[in-house]
Amino acid sequence: MKVGILGSGDVAKALAGGFVKHGHRVMLGTRDTGKLKDFVGQHNGAQASSFAEAARFGEVVVVAVKGTVATEALKAAGAANLANKPVIDATNPIADAAPTNGVLKFFTSLDQSLMERLQAAFPDARFVKAFNSVGNAAMVNPQFKGGKPTMFICGNDDNAKATVRGILDQFGWETADMGKAEAARAIEPLCMLWCIPGFLRNDWFHAFKLLQSS
Ligand SMILES: NC(=O)c1ccc[n+]([C@@H]2O[C@H](COP(=O)([O-])OP(=O)(O)OC[C@H]3O[C@@H](n4cnc5c(N)ncnc54)[C@H](OP(=O)(O)O)[C@@H]3O)[C@@H](O)[C@H]2O)c1
């Protein structure tokens, strides 16, 4: 698969590394390709370009930019380059204010998630929330004593979610599909919960697992 990844930070690089490890080709999109020179040199199958070129390249697109600028980055990517494609939304709506007792502040409400805003702004893109509820170090084939962790996903398009489920299978995750885009109101705040042990105890390696009856 050809994957366009919007971003140059830790998440973009972790996921890009995972995609090339599993035989996909990636193009990372950034305002400054110089930031990715070393990464691209070290990863066969990875290249860097603008947000628009990365989105155009991808059969699947990943959004891995700061939550406050996600709309801006997608505008730069271009609505036409996102249309009818699965767009994996790994962002979190973290506000610029400092956490309180380890609890992050969000700029969204419990009645509207960031992914819903993005879906409304880019109606032809097929957004799927994924990878937002775990740290970048554990995104690709994580090893936990408790077995495979669970990635909570949601989105309005079933085919796009099937594509993301396939990627999560490769990346060593169980997938729990929480339904339509509104479920991002519950999935995005998992990031707040996930970060608390980090801020309080400097423990940044853990993941969620959904225990089910069957
Ligand atoms: N860090 C984690 O472990 C983790 C885990 C799960 C989810 N997330 C979420 O994943 C996303 C990426 O996180 P991150 O830690 O990798 O990186 P980040 O520092 O949150 O974001 C870096 C990216 O944001 C872009 N950006 C910043 N200002 C911009 C602007 N004005 N216009 C366009 N793009 C701009 C940068 O683009 P340039 O390349 O052009 O500079 C860069 O690619 C965030 O939403 C975060 O909440 C993070």
Side-chain angles (χ1 to χ4, degrees):
M1 231 162 32
K2 285 161 58 177
V3 184
I5 300 181
L6 310 180
S8 63
D10 290 340
V11 172
K13 288 193 273 198
L15 292 176
F19 281 111
V20 298
K21 169 182 163 184
H22 289 291
H24 305 289
R25 288 164 55 206
V26 303
M27 185 182 285
L28 295 112
T30 172
R31 296 166 299 172
D32 173 11
T33 54
K35 285 185 188 175
L36 291 165
K37 198 165 170 270
D38 290 348
F39 182 85
V40 166
Q42 291 156 7
H43 291 81
N44 238 338
Q47 50 188 317
S49 189
S50 64
F51 286 126
E53 283 305 320
R56 190 173 300 132
F57 173 86
E59 298 159 273
V60 171
V61 177
V62 179
V63 196
V65 297
K66 199 167 175 262
T68 50
V69 301
T71 307
E72 214 175 307
L74 287 169
K75 273 187 197 155
N81 295 326
L82 305 169
N84 304 316
K85 296 179 182 176
V87 178
I88 300 175
D89 175 20
T91 65
N92 280 309
I94 299 172
D96 286 328
T100 305
N101 289 330
V103 181
L104 284 166
K105 293 209 189 325
F106 271 20
F107 60 79
T108 47
S109 76
L110 284 174
D111 293 322
Q112 200 197 40
S113 62
L114 176 56
M115 192 181 82
E116 289 171 271
R117 288 191 197 177
L118 301 178
Q119 183 64 80
F122 301 90
D124 296 332
R126 299 174 180 177
F127 284 93
V128 180
K129 196 88 212 173
F131 292 110
N132 71 298
S133 60
V134 69
N136 64 84
M139 285 180 176
V140 181
N141 303 108
Q143 300 297 319
F144 288 106
K145 279 188 199 148
K148 271 191 191 186
T150 305
M151 187 66 75
F152 294 91
I153 71 165
C154 69
N156 292 339
D157 188 275
D158 287 340
N159 290 331
K161 285 194 286 191
T163 301
V164 175
R165 189 183 280 271
I167 292 164
L168 286 166
D169 286 349
Q170 284 192 321
F171 283 29
W173 288 84
E174 281 175 2
T175 299
D177 182 351
M178 295 290 113
K180 302 290 185 192
E182 290 77 9
R185 297 174 198 178
I187 297 175
E188 289 174 359
L190 290 177
C191 148
M192 296 167 81
L193 187 61
W194 187 91
C195 284
I196 290 174
F199 288 124
L200 297 187
R201 297 186 288 279
N202 203 27
D203 172 3
W204 297 101
F205 198 81
H206 44 263
F208 296 113
K209 184 163 183 71
L210 186 65
L211 302 176
Q212 298 181 90
S213 57
S214 57

